[in-house]
Amino acid sequence: QVQLVQSGSELKKPGASVKVSCKGSGYTFISYVMNWVRQAPGQGLEWMGCINPYTGNPTYAQGFTGRFVFSLDTSVSTAYLHISSLEAEDTAVYYCARQFCSGTTCYEHAFDIWGQGTVVAVSS
Amino acid sequence: QSALTQPPSASGSPGQSVTISCTGTSSDVGGYNYVSWYQQHPGKAPKLMIYEVSKRPSGVPDRFSGSKSGNTASLTVSGLQAEDEADYYCNSYTGSDNVVFGGGTKLTVL
């Protein structure tokens, strides 16, 4: 079945970096834009940006430039989120989410398949 | 880009209908027919319920419906059931490949 499987929870110290992986299966990986969404503890969803697996072109939302980098390894159908210089405020669940397509139409605002989420905790 | 505005909470009794609003601006909700809604149960990943303002993906019950007027989109849940109790989030396309979410609404089934 179509699914996204993310890497496990991470506990990091401030200033460190982390790389979260998101492996797609059951579909043609390069055909669907991959999004990243953050959810801080007890808070709402925040769109971080997306990356087009076909072109490799990333788009970053305001507030997620500089320390946040999206990358891909299409040979293993995997997207990555790299966060550097971690701060306590980066503590959150990070989700990858696939763009929804119906027939030949894809919708940039709609995400139909989500990973299970990766908890990143930043604490000294 | 500011988050879309949703009421923090909503409630209804089983069988009733409840509507959740999502207010943006002419640069997002009002400017595009690209609003979607997500249901999130505690500890779970969100689930797509509505896309393109009013369309339901396969498998979503027709008790869930969406609409839009001006800068405000709405999600209506009819025939409330206990399993509808969850957090609901809207989002909207904002142009230039960008998306913004609402702050979320906690729906309680009384």
Side-chain angles (χ1 to χ4, degrees):
Chain A
Q1 75 279 23
V2 177
Q3 62 179 350
L4 299 174
V5 178
Q6 297 184 224
S7 48
S9 299
E10 301 270 9
L11 174 59
K12 296 290 184 180
K13 293 191 183 305
S17 63
V18 69
K19 195 169 188 176
V20 177
S21 67
C22 168
K23 182 174 176 60
S25 62
Y27 72 98
T28 303
F29 184 76
I30 63 170
S31 296
Y32 296 79
V33 171
M34 189 69 76
N35 295 267
W36 289 95
V37 177
R38 181 171 79 176
Q39 188 167 36
Q43 303 300 307
L45 304 173
E46 196 173 11
W47 185 74
M48 301 173 64
C50 62
I51 186 165
N52 186 323
Y54 187 78
T55 64
N57 183 46
T59 298
Y60 297 97
Q62 263 185 346
F64 293 99
T65 55
R67 296 190 300 116
F68 301 84
V69 177
F70 308 144
S71 63
L72 302 161
D73 185 343
T74 56
S75 69
V76 290
S77 302
T78 301
Y80 300 95
L81 164 65
H82 184 261
I83 310 173
S84 59
S85 302
L86 283 163
E87 305 166 354
E89 292 70 30
D90 294 324
T91 295
V93 177
Y94 291 85
Y95 291 101
C96 57
R98 192 189 77 165
Q99 177 190 58
F100 173 64
C101 298
S102 180
T104 57
T105 303
C106 293
Y107 301 89
E108 294 185 4
H109 68 296
F111 316 140
D112 65 335
I113 305 297
W114 292 67
Q116 81 276 21
T118 295
V119 174
V120 175
V122 183
S123 175
S124 55
Chain B
Q1 183 72 46
S2 299
L4 306 176
T5 300
Q6 297 182 233
S9 63
S11 63
S13 299
Q16 289 187 333
S17 293
V18 64
T19 296
I20 299 170
S21 63
C22 169
T23 301
T25 69
S26 58
S27 296
D28 38 62
V29 175
Y32 307 91
N33 285 324
Y34 293 136
V35 174
S36 57
W37 289 90
Y38 301 83
Q39 176 191 67
Q40 186 181 35
H41 287 109
K44 300 293 187 182
K47 175 185 176 182
L48 178 66
M49 305 301 285
I50 296 286
Y51 69 98
E52 209 175 9
V53 175
S54 60
K55 297 180 180 177
R56 281 185 306 276
S58 174
V60 173
D62 60 7
R63 302 186 295 104
F64 292 85
S65 61
S67 62
K68 190 186 86 165
S69 178
N71 296 337
T72 298
S74 298
L75 172 72
T76 297
V77 186
S78 305
L80 269 175
Q81 298 181 4
E83 59 262 36
D84 299 333
E85 184 162 296
D87 293 327
Y88 289 84
Y89 295 90
C90 62
N91 81 2
S92 174
Y93 182 68
T94 69
S96 300
D97 297 337
N98 275 259
V99 169
V100 64
F101 276 98
T105 299
K106 182 176 179 60
L107 174 61
T108 301
V109 180
L110 301 170

